[in-house]
Amino acid sequence: MKRLLFAGAGVLALAAAGIAVATQADAATLSSNWYASAPYLMPFDNSPPDPVEVMNATGQKAFQLAFILAPSGGGCTPTWDGTRAVSGDTEALSLINRIRDNGGDVSVSIGGYGGTKLGQTCGSPEATAAAYQQVVTKYGLKAMDFDLEEPEYENTAAVHNEVGAAKILQQNNPGLYVSITTAGTAAGTGWFGTQMLLEAKSQGLTPANFSIMPFDGGFNGGSSQVSALEAFHTLLMNTFGWDSATAYAHEGISQMNGRSDAGEYFYQADFQTTLDYATSHKLARYTNWSVNRDRQCSDPNQSTTSGTCSSVPQTAWEFTKYSARFAGATPPTTTTPPTTAPTTSPTGGSCTIVAWSATTVYVGGNQAGQNGHKYTAKWWTQNESPATHSGQWDVWTDIGTC
């Protein structure tokens, strides 16, 4: 799965102990769509980029800082990557304050792929929550991500502790945006992911979203990821008894930009496919791993996976712009518009574009012909006839006769 290589009284108590903290007042006032769009960023590994540079280049305002783990030597206190105690941290705090000073904010992700998780070392949901509360208090957090995957999500007790901690944090920090991220499969998620959903149902936890990671599982481009999201959507409805709209409103996607650990490739067109699907179905979250990788390698088509570049041709921070678009922003233009004159569409005769097919997946901007007319898709669609549904569902735009 992931990832490559690698409130008031509490604040006063930490401050009295001489520990630097941020407060909720320090955080920029961002709407939840920014936390829902926040791409992952490792602040201490994989050649961390300057987040303010990324913000200025993309319009993205929030980042998902990764990862909070248990100490490598054991224990129930929070650390960055198992080695940097949160209690004594000044570097992440400085970075977070700099992002906030420039109009942004952060969510902090716990868990990830590898390392020892606090749910494994803390003895109960209450103890796990107390450890995470230190992180919320220290950094004045308004959002937190629970990344539950291997090997933690195979541990029933650990998942019980993490899910219980998430519920406690929601109760003790009103308004805290909590996301749950887990592995993705063609069936939506696997057996362990399904058990995690059942645990959440058992404990009465309803986070802002449950997000799957449809990569490293035999996926092939954006259409296969959309198929997994549809399967996960059905699983959410069946597990929680939600109707379709409610399930979509609690569903998200966490992608991998460029080459995955398993050698799959996800290009800009694939991100457009998933973005079209996410916006048209009103999904609750759209994120990716990671900003550290959102730049071109020296060999843009290298056949290895890197933690610091994408292994596909791109301009810097190109994938992060999809997050900004999901949040509702228009990213700054950084590419030179084409100078060649556009081709003229035929005004008569038979259609020269490909005829519409019920089995083809179309995304925003794709064109198809049917019954002597040309149509342009507004977003992701499949098996919705342009001639029949362009008006009823508003999926297709009729751009005239051939």
Side-chain angles (χ1 to χ4, degrees):
M1 283 83 169
K2 201 185 292 181
R3 288 289 207 254
L4 213 45
L5 317 169
F6 336 56
V11 172
L12 293 175
L14 290 174
I19 298 172
V21 297
T23 68
Q24 291 286 352
D26 292 327
T29 303
L30 296 184
S31 51
S32 60
N33 58 305
W34 287 109
Y35 302 114
S37 71
Y40 290 85
L41 189 155
M42 296 191 80
F44 300 118
D45 201 359
N46 287 349
S47 186
D50 178 354
V52 175
E53 175 189 339
V54 178
M55 292 167 67
N56 292 336
T58 66
Q60 179 61 29
K61 292 185 178 181
F63 300 96
Q64 192 84 53
L65 301 188
F67 287 106
I68 295 295
L69 295 170
S72 296
C76 185
T77 57
T79 70
W80 288 100
D81 303 322
T83 59
R84 300 168 181 260
V86 165
S87 60
D89 166 67
T90 58
E91 292 181 76
L93 180 63
S94 177
L95 179 69
I96 292 169
N97 287 336
R98 185 162 176 263
I99 291 171
R100 289 172 175 167
D101 288 344
N102 284 273
D105 200 10
V106 302
S107 175
V108 169
S109 184
I110 64 171
Y113 184 67
T116 303
K117 319 309 191 314
L118 284 164
Q120 296 171 268
T121 60
C122 298
S124 66
E126 292 75 16
T128 309
Y132 291 139
Q133 185 64 53
Q134 296 177 45
V135 184
V136 174
T137 302
K138 167 104 179 183
Y139 302 115
L141 295 181
K142 295 181 178 179
M144 178 172 275
D145 172 51
F146 284 70
D147 191 330
L148 306 180
E149 49 181 301
E150 293 185 12
E152 181 185 26
Y153 80 158
E154 299 172 8
N155 182 323
T156 302
V159 171
H160 175 77
N161 290 341
E162 297 284 10
V163 168
K167 183 178 180 181
I168 292 169
L169 289 174
Q170 280 187 325
Q171 293 170 338
N172 293 345
N173 302 273
L176 183 70
Y177 183 96
V178 174
S179 56
I180 307 288
T181 307
T182 197
T185 71
T189 189
W191 191 85
F192 292 109
T194 302
Q195 298 310 301
M196 182 273 293
L197 295 179
L198 292 171
E199 179 68 30
K201 179 182 180 181
S202 174
Q203 294 201 41
L205 170 67
T206 304
N209 62 78
F210 293 99
S211 298
I212 58 169
M213 299 178 288
F215 57 84
D216 288 351
F219 291 94
N220 182 23
S223 60
S224 67
Q225 295 177 302
V226 164
S227 179
L229 286 168
E230 276 294 287
F232 191 56
H233 169 249
T234 299
L235 182 58
L236 290 176
M237 288 193 295
N238 292 341
T239 300
F240 296 100
W242 291 335
D243 61 26
S244 181
T246 302
Y248 281 131
H250 289 85
E251 179 179 5
I253 180 173
S254 178
Q255 307 161 90
M256 195 161 180
N257 47 312
R259 190 183 195 276
S260 74
D261 309 271
E264 306 147 327
Y265 283 87
F266 301 98
Y267 296 93
Q268 293 87 333
D270 299 309
F271 268 56
Q272 187 64 57
T273 295
T274 55
L275 177 61
D276 289 338
Y277 176 85
T279 54
S280 65
H281 290 77
K282 296 181 172 59
L283 261 60
R285 187 164 174 241
Y286 181 92
T287 183
N288 75 84
W289 181 267
S290 65
V291 182
N292 304 65
R293 306 179 68 251
D294 194 7
R295 43 199 170 190
Q296 185 170 283
C297 304
S298 55
D299 175 3
N301 296 293
Q302 70 178 35
S303 58
T304 57
T305 304
S306 170
T308 61
C309 56
S310 66
S311 304
V312 300
Q314 67 162 103
T315 57
W317 325 129
E318 193 169 352
F319 288 95
T320 301
K321 289 184 178 182
Y322 290 94
S323 288
R325 293 186 184 102
F326 178 78
T330 301
T333 301
T334 57
T335 57
T336 304
T339 56
T340 56
T343 57
T344 303
S345 299
T347 56
S350 60
C351 282
T352 58
I353 56 178
V354 177
W356 173 80
S357 169
T359 60
T360 299
V361 171
Y362 299 92
V363 298
N366 286 171
Q367 293 189 345
Q370 189 179 33
N371 298 347
H373 279 243
K374 296 176 293 182
Y375 297 88
T376 299
K378 295 181 180 180
W379 49 72
W380 185 95
T381 179
Q382 185 179 27
N383 197 27
E384 293 179 315
S385 166
T388 303
H389 295 301
S390 59
Q392 180 181 359
W393 301 112
D394 200 28
V395 175
W396 294 92
T397 298
D398 187 341
I399 55 177
T401 58
C402 295

